[in-house]
C-alpha cells in the first residue's frame, strides 16, 4: 500500500512540474471546461514561439568595408664606410726623413705626408741634366755648321746627335719621377687615420703608411630579403640611425644594388649614399636601416572579420539582414588590421565580430556599430 502511495505521489509531482513549465495540455483543459486555462496555456506557447523565432538571427558587430594604403616598412642592419677612402702606401724603398702624419687631422689633396731620403735621386737628376745639356750643345753646334754650308757634319751625324738629345731628355724625366717618388702626397682630401710610421723608419715598396677617409659622404651596405626586393630602386630614400645618436635620423638614397640574390641568404646586397656634412658619422659604424613605401589603396578589415574554410579565407557581407561570403586574398597584416584583395563592394557592411558562427544566407542583427579598422 505504501509503494502505491509513493507511485501516485511521484506521478502528481511530475504532472505538476510539467504543467508549471509547459502549461496544461489543451485536451485536459477542455475536459475541465475552463477557458481561462486554455488562455493561460496559449500565452506561454506563443512566448516560447517568439523566443525561438528570435534565436534564428545571430547577433554580430558590423563595420563598413574601407580601402586605404598600406605602408610597407623594411628594417635591416648595415655598416658604412667612407664614400671616398684610400690607403697610402710607399711607392719606393727608403728611410723616412720627415712626416706630417697627425691622426684625425684634415689634409687636402696634394699635401705632403712624408719624405724619404732623396740624396741619390737628386744626384741622378743632376747627372741626367748634365748629359742633356751636353747633348743639346752638340745638336746646336752641328746645326750651326750645317747652316753655314759646312760639309764636315753629315746628315747621319746630325741625326744621331738629335737622338742622343732625346734620350738625354728622357733620362731627365725619369730622374725627376724618381725624385718625386721620394715625397708621398695625399691622393685625396679627408681625415688621416692612425699611423705608426715616424722619422728614421725604413720603408719597403708597398708598405702601408696611413689611411685617408673623406667622411662627408658615407656608403652604407646592407642586405634586403627576397620578399622586399620590390622596394629597391636607384634614388630610393633610406633612413638610417645609430645608437651613438639615439633619436636622430640620417637620410640617404640607394645608389646601387646587386643583380642577383645570394644563394644561401636569399637576399640582395644594397648600397646607399648617406650625406654626413657635420662629420658625426664615422667609417665602420653599424646602422639600423629603414625603407618605406606606400601601396595602392586596398580593402582593409579587422583581423576578426577573416574566417577560413576549405576554399580559403573570406569575409561576410551583410545585405538586408542576410549574409553572403566573399573570398579574400590576404596581402598585408599590421596589428589587428588586414589588407586584402576581394570582390566585396567598398562601403558595404561586413561582419567584424561574430563571423565564425555564420552560414551562407544566415539572418543577423547588429549588436552595435563598430568604427572602421583605421579608426
Amino acid at each position: 500500500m505504501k509503494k502505491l502511495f509513493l507511485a501516485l505521489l511521484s506521478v502528481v509531482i511530475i504532472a505538476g512540474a510539467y504543467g508549471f513549465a509547459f502549461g496544461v495540455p489543451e485536451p485536459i483543459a477542455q475536459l475541465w471546461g475552463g477557458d481561462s486555462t486554455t488562455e493561460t496555456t496559449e500565452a506561454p506557447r506563443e512566448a516560447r514561439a517568439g523566443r525561438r523565432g528570435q534565436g534564428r538571427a545571430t547577433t554580430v558587430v558590423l563595420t563598413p568595408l574601407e580601402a586605404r594604403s598600406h605602408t610597407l616598412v623594411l628594417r635591416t642592419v648595415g655598416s658604412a664606410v667612407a664614400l671616398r677612402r684610400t690607403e697610402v702606401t710607399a711607392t719606393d724603398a727608403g728611410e723616412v726623413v720627415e712626416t706630417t702624419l697627425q691622426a684625425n687631422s684634415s689634409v687636402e689633396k696634394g699635401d705632403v705626408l712624408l719624405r724619404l731620403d732623396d740624396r741619390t735621386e737628386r744626384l741622378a737628376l743632376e747627372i741626367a741634366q748634365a748629359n742633356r745639356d751636353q747633348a743639346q750643345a752638340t745638336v746646336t753646334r752641328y746645326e750651326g755648321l750645317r747652316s753655314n754650308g759646312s760639309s764636315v757634319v753629315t746628315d747621319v751625324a746630325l741625326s744621331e746627335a738629335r737622338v742622343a738629345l732625346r734620350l738625354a731628355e728622357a733620362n731627365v724625366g725619369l730622374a725627376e719621377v724618381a725624385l718625386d717618388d721620394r715625397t708621398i702626397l695625399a691622393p685625396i682630401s679627408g681625415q688621416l687615420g692612425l699611423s705608426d710610421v715616424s722619422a728614421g723608419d725604413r720603408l719597403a715598396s708597398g708598405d702601408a703608411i696611413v689611411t685617408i677617409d673623406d667622411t662627408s659622404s658615407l656608403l652604407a651596405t646592407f642586405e634586403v630579403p627576397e620578399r622586399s626586393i620590390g622596394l629597391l630602386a636607384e634614388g630610393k630614400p633610406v633612413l638610417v640611425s645609430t645608437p651613438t645618436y639615439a633619436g636622430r635620423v640620417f637620410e640617404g638614397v640607394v645608389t646601387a644594388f646587386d643583380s642577383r640574390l645570394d644563394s644561401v641568404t636569399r637576399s640582395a646586397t644594397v648600397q646607399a649614399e648617406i650625406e654626413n656634412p657635420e662629420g658625426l658619422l664615422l667609417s665602420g659604424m653599424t646602422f639600423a636601416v629603414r625603407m618605406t613605401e606606400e601601396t595602392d589603396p586596398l580593402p582593409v578589415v579587422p583581423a576578426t572579420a577573416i574566417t577560413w574554410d576549405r576554399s580559403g579565407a573570406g569575409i561576410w557581407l551583410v545585405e538586408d539582414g542576410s549574409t553572403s561570403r566573399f573570398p579574400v586574398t590576404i596581402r598585408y597584416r599590421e596589428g589587428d588590421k588586414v589588407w586584402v584583395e576581394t570582390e566585396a563592394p567598398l562601403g558595404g557592411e561586413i561582419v567584424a565580430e561574430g563571423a565564425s558562427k555564420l552560414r551562407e544566407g544566415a539572418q543577423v542583427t547588429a549588436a552595435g556599430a563598430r568604427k572602421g579598422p583605421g579608426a
Side-chain angles (χ1 to χ4, degrees):
M1 191 68 181
K2 185 178 180 180
K3 292 182 178 179
L4 179 60
F5 175 77
L6 292 175
L8 290 174
L9 181 60
S10 300
V11 171
V12 171
I13 292 173
I14 294 173
Y18 181 87
F20 179 79
F22 302 102
V24 180
E26 186 177 354
I28 297 177
Q30 291 176 354
L31 289 177
W32 287 349
D35 294 336
S36 60
T37 305
T38 302
E39 293 175 359
T40 303
T41 57
E42 287 295 334
R45 185 180 297 117
E46 292 175 358
R48 291 194 300 273
R51 288 195 297 269
R52 287 195 299 270
Q54 292 178 357
R56 287 193 296 269
T58 303
T59 302
V60 296
V61 177
L62 302 179
T63 187
L65 181 61
E66 302 175 350
R68 60 171 53 93
S69 299
H70 175 63
T71 302
L72 294 174
V73 180
L74 167 67
R75 290 182 172 85
T76 184
V77 177
S79 59
V81 296
L83 183 61
R84 288 172 290 277
R85 61 196 184 278
T86 187
E87 183 178 37
V88 181
T89 59
T91 57
D92 204 353
E95 181 183 348
V96 178
V97 296
E98 179 185 350
T99 68
T100 58
L101 303 176
Q102 181 63 41
N104 296 316
S105 62
S106 297
V107 295
E108 296 295 328
K109 181 179 179 180
D111 287 351
V112 175
L113 299 180
L114 63 78
R115 298 182 189 277
L116 299 175
D117 182 11
D118 59 1
R119 291 174 296 176
T120 301
E121 286 70 25
R122 289 185 181 278
L123 292 174
L125 177 59
E126 290 184 8
I127 293 173
Q129 290 173 339
N131 291 333
R132 179 198 59 191
D133 294 343
Q134 184 178 10
Q136 179 65 61
T138 301
V139 170
T140 301
R141 186 174 67 256
Y142 283 1
E143 289 177 343
L145 292 174
R146 289 297 301 271
S147 63
N148 293 329
S150 174
S151 60
V152 175
V153 180
T154 63
D155 292 339
V156 174
L158 180 59
S159 177
E160 290 178 348
R162 289 172 174 171
V163 170
L165 176 60
R166 290 174 58 189
L167 291 174
E169 290 175 342
N171 287 330
V172 171
L174 290 174
E176 291 175 343
V177 170
L179 179 61
D180 290 341
D181 287 344
R182 309 302 286 181
T183 302
I184 308 299
L185 306 178
I188 63 172
S189 300
Q191 274 189 318
L192 295 177
L194 288 172
S195 175
D196 57 0
V197 177
S198 58
D201 292 342
R202 185 166 187 83
L203 298 179
S205 178
D207 283 352
I209 298 174
V210 71
T211 60
I212 303 177
D213 292 306
D214 179 4
T215 57
S216 59
S217 293
L218 297 182
L219 187 65
T221 303
F222 53 93
E223 300 292 323
V224 171
E226 183 176 359
R227 67 178 181 275
S228 301
I229 293 300
L231 292 174
L232 297 182
E234 289 189 14
K236 182 78 174 179
V238 174
L239 303 177
V240 300
S241 58
T242 174
T244 307
Y245 302 103
R248 183 163 182 175
V249 177
F250 300 86
E251 297 183 358
V253 294
V254 173
T255 56
F257 51 89
D258 207 344
S259 60
R260 63 180 64 183
L261 298 179
D262 186 276
S263 59
V264 177
T265 62
R266 309 307 303 169
S267 60
T269 301
V270 182
Q271 292 181 338
E273 184 176 342
I274 304 169
E275 294 299 325
N276 185 35
E278 300 176 23
L280 298 177
L281 306 177
L282 300 181
S283 181
M285 274 186 168
T286 299
F287 295 103
V289 183
R290 180 160 53 95
M291 298 176 64
T292 62
E293 182 176 356
E294 293 288 330
T295 67
D296 294 331
L298 288 172
V300 57
V301 301
T304 53
I306 304 291
T307 60
W308 297 83
D309 61 13
R310 293 181 179 179
S311 63
I315 58 175
W316 292 95
L317 183 72
V318 177
E319 293 180 334
D320 299 328
S322 179
T323 59
S324 55
R325 192 174 190 272
F326 284 82
V328 298
T329 300
I330 297 176
R331 292 291 304 277
Y332 312 107
R333 289 180 180 269
E334 182 180 330
D336 62 348
K337 294 181 291 185
V338 182
W339 281 258
V340 299
E341 292 180 351
T342 181
E343 296 181 358
L346 294 176
E349 296 289 331
I350 64 170
V351 178
E353 296 180 14
S356 60
K357 302 177 291 185
L358 300 180
R359 298 292 182 270
E360 190 72 31
Q363 298 297 311
V364 297
T365 58
R370 170 173 173 163
K371 295 181 180 180

